[in-house]
Amino acid sequence: MIQLAMKQADYNRICAQALEEYVEGECCGMMTHGREDGPVSVHVCENIQDKMHKQDPERFPRTNRNAYLIDPGEQHQIISQAEGQGGGIAGFYHSHVDCDAYFSEEDKAQACAFFGDEPTYPDALYLVVSVYGPRSDRPVPEIKESKCFGWSEAQRDFVEVPLSLTD
Ligand SMILES: [Zn+2]
């Protein structure tokens, strides 16, 4: 069965990023794999959704609070570098701010932006980390849960896949 294999330390870094960037909104990044099977490499990316929203609010109605966007140039560079080393893209991660870890319609639309009804990268896995803000009984933001999703050709939809954390 397809699963996302990630080093515990990398997963912890993603959670730390989600907590740090909570005030700004969703955090994001990419995952690549090498020539051999093994845990993915994690690449932190900037969420440029706010920037695009300020430039063109009609075309980009959402902000970092409820969407993420990775600069296409940065994306291309990360993929080319991995391919240059005999690997390729493994997937993307982003956080959900004050809501649970699910694959939203927006996430699906973004993953399928190029072809419309199937993902641009059919083998890519998507890690979603849910972070909730401070409450009266808890002064700092907190990671609630994480879920991983992958495209099912049989179901023509994204389904949850296991996240396997390794040393
Ligand atoms: Zn999302």
Side-chain angles (χ1 to χ4, degrees):
M1 186 180 190
I2 297 166
Q3 60 171 20
L4 178 63
M6 181 179 278
K7 285 193 182 133
Q8 179 76 50
D10 284 331
Y11 174 73
N12 292 349
R13 261 197 293 274
I14 290 175
C15 290
Q17 185 193 355
L19 292 168
E20 269 164 36
E21 295 183 23
Y22 167 79
V23 177
E24 285 97 70
E26 297 189 4
C27 77
C28 59
M30 292 175 64
M31 303 173 291
T32 56
H33 61 82
R35 193 186 299 272
E36 315 271 324
D37 276 350
V40 294
S41 299
V42 170
H43 310 264
V44 173
C45 296
E46 185 195 350
N47 184 355
I48 63 162
Q49 190 74 37
D50 269 352
K51 215 181 269 177
M52 301 310 289
H53 174 72
K54 274 182 201 129
Q55 281 174 20
D56 190 348
E58 265 178 50
R59 201 173 145 213
F60 299 93
R62 287 164 170 254
T63 67
N64 278 22
R65 290 301 292 175
N66 54 14
Y68 76 100
L69 197 62
I70 299 172
D71 179 77
E74 187 177 17
Q75 224 178 104
H76 179 75
Q77 201 187 338
I78 290 169
I79 295 170
S80 309
Q81 198 188 355
E83 286 176 349
Q85 293 161 359
I89 183 163
F92 299 85
Y93 69 86
H94 71 287
S95 60
H96 278 179
V97 170
D98 294 323
C99 67
D100 291 351
Y102 66 102
F103 209 64
S104 68
E105 282 304 314
E106 176 73 13
D107 291 332
K108 207 165 138 181
Q110 190 170 8
C112 299
F114 197 69
F115 298 113
D117 58 350
E118 56 183 88
T120 311
Y121 304 104
D123 297 327
L125 299 177
Y126 291 78
L127 177 66
V128 183
V129 176
S130 151
V131 53
Y132 276 83
R135 295 186 316 222
S136 54
D137 60 335
R138 193 188 64 226
V140 290
E142 179 182 77
I143 300 294
K144 186 187 171 191
E145 58 178 358
S146 298
K147 282 183 185 166
C148 189
F149 302 89
W151 176 253
S152 160
E153 189 54 45
Q155 294 178 49
R156 302 290 296 168
D157 201 357
F158 283 90
V159 296
E160 193 176 344
V161 301
L163 169 65
S164 151
L165 297 175
T166 63
D167 287 342

